[in-house]
Amino acid sequence: MREVTEKPQAIRETVVPFGSSNEERIMHHLAEKQVITRKETQELLGVSQSTAGRILKSMIDKGQIVQIGGSRNIRYELVKK
């Protein structure tokens, strides 16, 4: 009978480079331009209108950005500290 020994699998850790997450890319844009729209977010990230809206809403909920204006003139900016 042959004994089968398993080799331990290497643990791979995924490192996300700086500026590669959607939120980091938006924050970087805001640091340079001060404001961003949902449409600009779509274009910056290459995502749908719905996805851009969800990301921006999540950032508002986390206290990272604030919404300014309303209706067709909504813009987002960094929270002033």
Side-chain angles (χ1 to χ4, degrees):
M1 206 181 263
R2 253 174 42 185
E3 186 175 319
V4 178
T5 57
E6 293 183 27
K7 294 181 181 177
Q9 294 180 351
I11 298 173
R12 293 185 183 174
E13 186 174 328
T14 304
V15 177
V16 179
F18 176 75
S20 65
S21 83
N22 289 338
E23 290 183 7
E24 286 175 341
R25 292 172 68 188
I26 292 169
M27 297 294 273
H28 181 72
H29 177 89
L30 287 169
E32 291 181 358
K33 310 276 185 182
Q34 281 71 50
V35 296
I36 194 167
T37 65
R38 192 238 347 115
K39 180 79 172 169
E40 290 170 335
T41 301
Q42 269 183 261
E43 293 168 359
L44 176 69
L45 304 178
V47 296
S48 71
Q49 177 179 339
S50 298
T51 300
R54 277 193 301 272
I55 293 167
L56 291 167
K57 170 106 173 59
S58 171
M59 292 179 73
I60 290 169
D61 293 344
K62 292 177 186 176
Q64 296 172 312
I65 61 174
V66 292
Q67 179 179 315
I68 301 195
S71 188
R72 298 177 63 91
N73 193 29
I74 297 174
R75 302 204 180 281
Y76 303 89
E77 67 179 30
L78 291 172
V79 172
K80 293 183 170 103
K81 296 181 181 183

